[in-house]
Amino acid sequence: MQIIGFVVVFTLAHALAYTIAGVIALQISKDIYEGKKRLCTFLNDMSDETERAHVQRWFLPAQLLRGALMAIVLLPILSALQQLSTLLLFLFFVMLMFVYTHVSSASPFIDNIEGQVYFRKEYVMKQALVKFQLEMIIYATIFSVMMTIAIRMIL
């Protein structure tokens, strides 16, 4: 039961934190996500009804799948996580979500290490880099608070 609880809590924490961070990011990063002159034209345009509908349709199923997969990978170290101090547990989740899933991700993007190597210069924009980093910091922090509380109180 503890394993199922961890996967469920992790998945829901991921989906909720990602949604909250995305809502905040969209408010401060409309120049990335909306309009014909948006900075990242390779992303769906949130001001286009058809493209926005595609994102809305697939956002939650994609995040639930991502959350479950990430949780399953951590199952072998679940007992070790429970033994960490509260501060170390929080820092573990922050670094896991910010560093592993973002900054050092093997998939290149304009604001991670691989993107700096493989993207053409016109796609590596300081303005977009800062906004994406901020979005991921917000996500990692919210997620980590939720997971730290959950592990301390529920699991």
Side-chain angles (χ1 to χ4, degrees), residues 58-73:
W58 291 106
F59 178 84
L60 186 58
Q63 298 319 313
L64 293 174
L65 178 59
R66 287 182 67 217
L69 291 172
M70 289 186 285
I72 290 167
V73 167

Side-chain angles (χ1 to χ4, degrees), residues 38-55:
R38 66 192 181 283
L39 295 173
C40 298
T41 57
F42 51 86
L43 295 174
N44 281 317
D45 181 355
M46 295 298 100
S47 66
D48 178 278
E49 206 170 299
T50 304
E51 292 181 26
R52 184 177 63 247
H54 171 80
V55 172

Side-chain angles (χ1 to χ4, degrees), residues 101-115:
T101 69
H102 182 64
V103 173
S104 64
S105 173
S107 298
F109 197 64
I110 61 176
D111 66 326
N112 69 18
I113 294 167
E114 289 294 295

Side-chain angles (χ1 to χ4, degrees), residues 65-83:
L65 178 59
R66 287 182 67 217
L69 291 172
M70 289 186 285
I72 290 167
V73 167
L74 294 176
L75 289 177
I77 64 166
L78 179 55
S79 62
L81 291 176
Q82 293 170 317
Q83 294 179 23

Side-chain angles (χ1 to χ4, degrees), residues 18-143:
Y18 202 78
T19 300
I20 292 168
V23 167
I24 293 168
L26 188 57
Q27 299 309 308
I28 61 175
S29 303
K30 289 189 183 285
D31 58 334
I32 292 175
Y33 296 106
E34 291 185 355
K36 298 216 183 287
K37 293 185 178 189
R38 66 192 181 283
L39 295 173
C40 298
T41 57
F42 51 86
L43 295 174
N44 281 317
D45 181 355
M46 295 298 100
S47 66
D48 178 278
E49 206 170 299
T50 304
E51 292 181 26
R52 184 177 63 247
H54 171 80
V55 172
Q56 289 170 333
R57 183 178 317 109
W58 291 106
F59 178 84
L60 186 58
Q63 298 319 313
L64 293 174
L65 178 59
R66 287 182 67 217
L69 291 172
M70 289 186 285
I72 290 167
V73 167
L74 294 176
L75 289 177
I77 64 166
L78 179 55
S79 62
L81 291 176
Q82 293 170 317
Q83 294 179 23
L84 293 175
S85 71
T86 301
L87 178 60
L88 282 179
L89 186 61
F90 173 77
L91 292 174
F92 170 81
F93 282 118
V94 167
M95 293 297 110
L96 179 74
M97 302 321 268
F98 185 68
V99 176
Y100 269 82
T101 69
H102 182 64
V103 173
S104 64
S105 173
S107 298
F109 197 64
I110 61 176
D111 66 326
N112 69 18
I113 294 167
E114 289 294 295
Q116 300 302 306
V117 173
Y118 293 105
F119 273 40
R120 292 169 39 182
K121 288 184 183 189
E122 63 263 25
Y123 291 110
V124 181
M125 301 161 275
K126 184 177 181 182
Q127 182 180 8
L129 185 139
V130 170
K131 288 182 178 185
F132 278 121
Q133 294 291 353
L134 178 60
E135 179 178 358
M136 288 307 297
I137 289 168
I138 292 168
Y139 159 71
T141 303
I142 293 169
F143 173 82

